[in-house]
Amino acid sequence: MTATRIDGKEFSARVRADVATHVARLKADHGITPGLAVVLVGEDPASQVYVRSKGKQTVEAGMQSFEHKLPVETAQSDLLNLVARLNADPAVHGILVQLPLPDHMDEAAVINAIDPAKDVDGFHISNVGRLATGQSAMVPCTPLGCLMLLRDTFGSLSGKTAVVIGRSNIVGKPMAQLLLRDSCTVTIAHSRTADIAEVVRRADIVVAAVGRPQMVPGDWIKPGAVVIDVGINRIDAPELGEGKTRLVGDVDFDSVAQVAGAVTPVPGGVGPMTIACLLANTLTACCRAANLPEPEGLTA
Ligand code: NDP
């Protein structure tokens, strides 16, 4: 069997276009423009790339983008003051503090200082609890993107057996909660899971969020299963020339594609969905703040 390649690039472009349509309607009908504030502390090169990309895509969707760049030595109290100002600013509907923060800061304290209604990353303890208890929440962007791809592939997920590999707070755990909410039978596998191959082999849906290049081989996959690869790993690629590198996922794409029904590639799978879902979350936060209906198909 050769798996269908799930095209996250194409799907995320559809999500962004859908967001832009809703934003235009919000402006025309209600005079409201959703606004996203992104805060970057320090000069981590990868974070700078993400923040630039987020700002660009926010503006392209017709929203307002507010960027706050603070020096690495910023005191935590100054960052908390900025967060408080953004919480109080009616033009700001979404706040994202780019992680990781410098070592002298307490990430949990900063994230939990964000107004949960504006917490478009979905990391605030209150949103984590709301998701876990089935209440309306802001949902972390990467798992939301995976869920959208899965719903698009399957239609209903009800009754499917799902295995999430990885139990981090930003991907694995919220992913498992979302799958449970869509009535999957969910197992979370991690570094201590005994006979992980056998566990994964039971799944109709496999979500790999491990951070280990090409760890999941084809012979772990049940024939016809749908495999979502969240991993982004840079590996040496001498075949491309001396000193060259390339990106791979947590899944061994070539062998998995021989067995699976569908699989996301890396790059071009889950990656582009993350920012698209950030825009979707900002729109959702704006609609909720204005007591307007949430955009259909863009929430969990
Ligand atoms: P973390 O390092 O926080 O978590 C990794 C998880 O994988 C842990 O739960 C760990 O288990 C588990 N794990 C590690 N080794 C093994 C193993 N040998 N077998 C089974 N499980 C194992 O990573 P994240 O969740 O933050 O990210 C995972 C991957 O997703 C990374 O490659 C990251 O770059 C990527 N990512 C991609 C995003 C995107 O936009 N596409 C967004 C976020 C992340 P244990 O808890 O037992 O240690």
Side-chain angles (χ1 to χ4, degrees), residues 142 166-168 170 190-191 196 209-212 215 230-232 274:
T142 301
R167 55 176 163 178
S168 72
I170 63 168
H190 46 78
S191 66
I196 191 165
V210 185
R212 288 183 181 264
M215 188 191 92
V230 182
I232 303 176
T274 298

Side-chain angles (χ1 to χ4, degrees), residues 142-187:
T142 301
L144 178 58
C146 297
L147 183 76
M148 284 185 186
L149 293 175
L150 284 166
R151 284 179 176 168
D152 187 60
T153 304
F154 278 111
S156 168
L157 304 186
S158 178
K160 305 284 180 211
T161 300
V163 172
V164 179
I165 317 176
R167 55 176 163 178
S168 72
N169 290 334
I170 63 168
V171 190
K173 283 183 201 152
M175 186 74 246
Q177 293 288 357
L178 288 171
L179 291 167
L180 191 59
R181 202 149 127 166
D182 269 27
S183 299
C184 292
T185 302
V186 184
T187 302

Side-chain angles (χ1 to χ4, degrees), residues 260-272:
V263 56
T264 59
V266 177
V270 173

Side-chain angles (χ1 to χ4, degrees), residues 6-14 16 268-269 272-273:
I6 299 174
D7 189 342
K9 210 168 156 193
E10 190 269 338
F11 193 88
S12 66
R14 271 195 276 154
R16 291 199 309 273
M273 291 299 294

Side-chain angles (χ1 to χ4, degrees), residues 264-293:
T264 59
V266 177
V270 173
M273 291 299 294
T274 298
I275 297 185
C277 288
L278 173 66
L279 304 181
N281 275 352
T282 305
L283 173 65
T284 300
C286 178
C287 292
R288 286 179 186 165
N291 277 323
L292 293 168

Side-chain angles (χ1 to χ4, degrees), residues 16-66:
R16 291 199 309 273
D18 206 4
V19 170
T21 303
H22 278 90
V23 169
R25 213 174 296 144
L26 263 182
K27 278 189 203 175
D29 296 349
H30 303 280
I32 303 171
T33 303
L36 171 65
V38 176
V39 180
L40 174 63
V41 186
E43 289 176 358
D44 177 67
S47 294
Q48 284 179 324
V49 172
Y50 290 139
V51 167
R52 246 196 321 273
S53 190
K54 284 167 185 170
K56 183 167 168 275
Q57 294 190 33
T58 303
V59 171
E60 282 169 2
M63 303 189 191
Q64 286 202 81
S65 167
F66 307 97

Side-chain angles (χ1 to χ4, degrees), residues 4-5 214 216 229 251-258 263-266:
T4 306
R5 191 173 173 278
Q214 300 167 313
V216 179
D229 190 353
V251 163
D252 177 33
F253 186 88
D254 291 341
S255 65
V256 167
Q258 298 302 313
V263 56
T264 59
V266 177

